[in-house]
Amino acid sequence: MSDDRPAGDDRSTKTATPRPDTGTGPPETGESKTGGQGIGGPGTGPRGPRRRSAAVRGAAAAGALVVAAALPFYLDHFWLNLGLLVAASVVGALGLDLLVGHTGQISLAHPFFIATGGYGYTALASDGSGELAGAGWPTALAALGAIVLAGVAGALYAPISARVRGIYLAVASLGLVVLGQHLLLNLTDLTGGYDGRDAPPLNFFGLAFDDGGGDLLGVPFGRVERLWYVALAVAVAAYALYASLRNTRPGRALAAIRGGETAAAAMGVHVPRYKAAAFAIAAAYAGAAGVLLALTLQRLVPSSYEVEMAFSYMAMIVIGGLGSPLGAVLGAAFVTSLPILLRHYSDHLPLLAAEGSGGLSAGVAAQILYGAAVVAVLLFARGGLAGACRAALRPRRRPTATKAGIR
């Protein structure tokens, strides 16, 4: 067989030799497959910005906790009581957002579970010496028992939540609120009926959370100041539990259920079991919120747990941003504090009239404002307040020079 290649073509016998390094080529990047280091050395690769962002978030959270811990030394009782109400709403909103925003189960039963926690704590902690029943438990144990009781109530409702979904689940859960009102008004030996009953003050290992406390660093430290730290600890624990649950296998399973129950079941997720667990956890969160409300208000009445509370909590998570723990915190702070602040400053704000005068009261104005906020979020900012904050704090990338622009 003849060779048809031209003379001097020896491609079959020669191999490519590496070009010597003359120092004029592009520098070594040192980037590994794992994305560890980039051109600038350690910390400038893809993982560097993530680590710096996590460090910034951790430093901001630590700073916020330090500031929150110092507030009782500087604020008066109005602002501290407002903070306690916000903390209770934060805990309840986190539980509802876990159920609605993260799992996709629409529930309006939160007032029932909040009432279960509040009245459960009051009944377990009261000594029963008066006309109303009481178990006489230590108050710290009664608080834990009330949270467990609310979680059990949510677990008992789980078979219904596992069978229905969407608007049908919302209507079915609203029936729990109606049932709760009937029980609160008729179980007079336990709840006190229309007049309600007083909640015993917390006593934690001999430390009484009442108004008989002494001074600390020259500042009177009574019930509100001491209860501030309890509410802060409970709110931080509730936030940390929700935030950590999202990145676990059960959290991803709950997110898969939100995306579609059929697809989640095809991936091996036991849908009824996880839906029941989500409902029980959300109910336990609501029970903790009920205990904090009972300790803050010191008296429970059935009218506090009506349907209006259900829509208020739904507004919290929608305004804050569904599926975001930060959104639940921001939405709870907005919806809870707005009517109180409007009522507090009604004498200095135009167009607001006194309660019962027939004009635009602070409570009605607050409902109009956060109703408008819900509409604005649905139309213009699906991420809610949390999404707006992330967009505002996100650093803007500078335009990079391209080869076409460098000539």
Side-chain angles (χ1 to χ4, degrees):
M1 180 180 295
S2 63
D3 194 352
D4 295 330
R5 288 174 298 181
D9 191 352
D10 54 351
R11 283 177 294 178
S12 61
T13 58
K14 290 185 179 182
T15 58
T17 59
R19 174 182 291 182
D21 186 5
T22 60
T24 60
E28 293 277 338
T29 62
E31 182 176 354
S32 64
K33 292 182 179 180
T34 58
Q37 298 180 3
I39 295 176
T44 59
R47 291 185 180 179
R50 297 195 193 100
R51 291 174 179 172
R52 286 195 299 270
S53 178
V56 170
R57 289 196 300 268
L65 287 178
V66 171
V67 171
L71 288 180
F73 294 94
Y74 300 97
L75 299 181
D76 59 20
H77 277 195
F78 169 78
W79 294 104
L80 292 179
N81 276 301
L82 176 59
L84 292 177
L85 293 175
V86 168
S89 298
V90 164
V91 176
L94 285 169
L96 185 61
D97 191 68
L98 173 65
L99 184 65
V100 179
H102 192 67
T103 314
Q105 300 186 76
I106 303 177
S107 172
L108 297 174
H110 238 46
F112 177 84
F113 299 118
I114 293 175
T116 301
Y119 277 96
Y121 164 76
T122 303
L124 293 175
S126 300
D127 55 10
S129 58
E131 297 179 356
L132 301 178
W137 288 15
T139 53
L141 183 60
L144 293 177
I147 296 173
V148 173
L149 182 63
V152 171
L156 292 177
Y157 186 75
I160 299 177
S161 67
R163 280 176 163 68
V164 295
R165 57 184 175 180
I167 189 64
Y168 301 102
L169 177 59
V171 173
S173 62
L174 195 60
L176 275 182
V177 182
V178 178
L179 174 63
Q181 284 294 304
H182 176 76
L183 295 177
L184 293 179
L185 293 174
N186 290 278
L187 298 179
T188 54
D189 292 338
L190 185 64
T191 65
Y194 288 95
D195 297 329
R197 64 181 301 176
D198 294 329
L202 187 65
N203 192 305
F204 191 70
F205 293 105
L207 178 63
F209 289 76
D210 53 22
D211 293 325
D215 295 348
L216 181 62
L217 300 178
V219 177
F221 240 66
R223 179 189 66 87
V224 178
E225 289 81 7
R226 295 178 180 181
L227 192 58
W228 174 271
Y229 294 103
V230 176
L232 181 62
V234 173
V236 170
Y239 185 96
L241 178 61
Y242 180 13
S244 61
L245 179 64
R246 298 174 67 197
N247 299 321
T248 61
R249 183 177 179 181
R252 290 190 291 270
L254 294 176
I257 293 175
R258 180 191 60 191
E261 295 184 10
T262 304
M267 291 187 293
V269 176
H270 196 291
V271 175
R273 182 186 303 168
Y274 277 102
K275 289 178 67 175
F279 222 98
I281 294 173
Y285 268 75
V291 174
L292 288 178
L293 276 178
L295 293 173
T296 301
L297 300 176
Q298 298 181 278
R299 186 169 184 82
L300 306 179
V301 290
S303 59
S304 300
Y305 308 98
E306 294 179 344
V307 178
E308 182 181 354
M309 176 183 277
F311 293 113
S312 295
Y313 271 95
M314 192 63 69
M316 292 178 193
I317 63 174
V318 172
I319 293 173
L322 286 173
S324 169
L326 176 61
V329 174
L330 297 177
F334 176 79
V335 174
T336 303
S337 61
L338 183 62
I340 298 175
L341 292 177
L342 289 178
R343 193 176 297 113
H344 186 67
Y345 293 105
S346 59
D347 295 337
H348 307 284
L349 295 175
L351 304 178
L352 291 184
E355 298 285 346
S357 62
L360 181 63
S361 64
V364 175
Q367 293 176 357
I368 294 174
L369 287 176
Y370 68 68
V374 169
V375 175
V377 165
L378 293 177
L379 291 179
F380 306 109
R382 293 296 181 91
L385 295 177
C389 290
R390 285 192 294 266
L393 297 176
R394 185 182 300 119
R396 296 182 179 179
R397 296 182 178 180
R398 296 180 179 178
T400 57
T402 60
K403 290 182 179 181
I406 302 176
R407 291 182 179 179

